[in-house]
Amino acid sequence: MQNSRLGLASALTILLAGGAQAAGPPQPAPQLRSLEAALTGVWSVTDSFAPNGANADSINTPKGGTGHGIQVWRSSLGGFTFMEEERQETPVGQVFIVGYTWWDATSGKLRGMECNSQWPKGCDALASQSEVELSWDGKRFVVDFRDPKDPRRIVWHEVFTDITPTTFVQTADIGQPDGSLKRWMTIHAKRIK
């Protein structure tokens, strides 16, 4: 009886130890790792702005114009958060942005939050839970802000396309009162690191 207990205890120890080794440390979601692989780096950007009045998610560019800046995309420790840091010279002055993207395992979706020096709130953590939708299909990264009063209406539609190891194109469309979207900004990015 003593030998069978010892044998059972040894078998359980081996199974539990083996299971712990197989599980290993947590890993970032494949969707997030794929996005990180596409955009990680330091990018020089040139901007063109269409004439437009400001809404809650843009700056006022009544005459349109051009700009330039730097975007730095990098992973946090462990790769569980993907961050964008941005400095732009725009027709109305400097704009500083920091954005965070992460995988929400509960919803099975990317989530994000942006902090912008032009916004009265700076950062809006509450909006990241209900008004911001992110998607990545391996070729296009889409960021949509929905109207908090009418979630069916998109007020900001940003798309990163034509992503190569050395370039990408970023566009931003602003929601109009009639519900349509109007192109406001186009950015051409070129990798410098």
Side-chain angles (χ1 to χ4, degrees), residues 2-86:
Q2 181 89 8
N3 278 346
S4 65
R5 281 188 191 155
L6 185 59
L8 182 58
S10 296
L12 282 173
T13 302
I14 290 169
L15 283 173
L16 291 173
Q21 289 173 351
Q27 297 294 314
Q31 298 87 335
L32 187 59
R33 287 197 327 241
S34 172
L35 179 60
E36 291 169 345
L39 290 175
T40 294
V42 179
W43 305 84
S44 172
V45 296
T46 56
D47 319 327
S48 61
F49 298 91
N52 195 58
N55 74 4
D57 297 307
S58 69
I59 58 175
N60 187 7
T61 57
K63 296 180 181 177
T66 60
H68 60 89
I70 297 287
Q71 290 184 10
V72 178
W73 290 82
R74 62 186 175 89
S75 297
S76 67
L77 294 175
F80 291 92
T81 304
F82 192 42
M83 299 181 293
E84 172 198 13
E85 298 170 283
E86 188 173 336

Side-chain angles (χ1 to χ4, degrees), residues 14-188:
I14 290 169
L15 283 173
L16 291 173
Q21 289 173 351
Q27 297 294 314
Q31 298 87 335
L32 187 59
R33 287 197 327 241
S34 172
L35 179 60
E36 291 169 345
L39 290 175
T40 294
V42 179
W43 305 84
S44 172
V45 296
T46 56
D47 319 327
S48 61
F49 298 91
N52 195 58
N55 74 4
D57 297 307
S58 69
I59 58 175
N60 187 7
T61 57
K63 296 180 181 177
T66 60
H68 60 89
I70 297 287
Q71 290 184 10
V72 178
W73 290 82
R74 62 186 175 89
S75 297
S76 67
L77 294 175
F80 291 92
T81 304
F82 192 42
M83 299 181 293
E84 172 198 13
E85 298 170 283
E86 188 173 336
R87 178 191 49 80
Q88 298 278 0
E89 294 289 339
T90 74
V92 295
Q94 285 193 340
V95 176
F96 298 93
I97 295 172
V98 62
Y100 302 95
T101 303
W102 64 91
W103 181 256
D104 180 349
T106 303
S107 69
K109 296 179 180 181
L110 290 170
R111 296 283 187 198
M113 181 177 79
E114 183 176 296
C115 303
N116 186 320
S117 64
Q118 296 292 311
W119 292 350
K121 291 182 183 180
C123 302
D124 190 350
L126 187 58
S128 72
Q129 297 174 15
S130 60
E131 297 165 22
V132 179
E133 291 181 8
L134 305 177
S135 64
W136 167 247
D137 65 6
K139 295 180 182 182
R140 291 170 26 112
F141 181 42
V142 178
V143 180
D144 285 332
F145 284 61
R146 297 203 171 267
D147 186 332
K149 295 174 187 154
D150 180 4
R152 296 169 297 168
R153 189 169 161 255
I154 294 175
V155 294
W156 177 265
H157 179 70
E158 186 172 5
V159 183
F160 295 76
T161 59
D162 301 327
I163 301 169
T164 73
T166 58
T167 62
F168 67 79
V169 176
Q170 177 182 354
T171 59
D173 300 337
I174 296 176
Q176 303 301 302
D178 66 2
S180 65
L181 293 168
K182 178 182 174 188
R183 178 67 36 93
W184 171 65
M185 177 183 71
T186 301
I187 293 177
H188 293 275

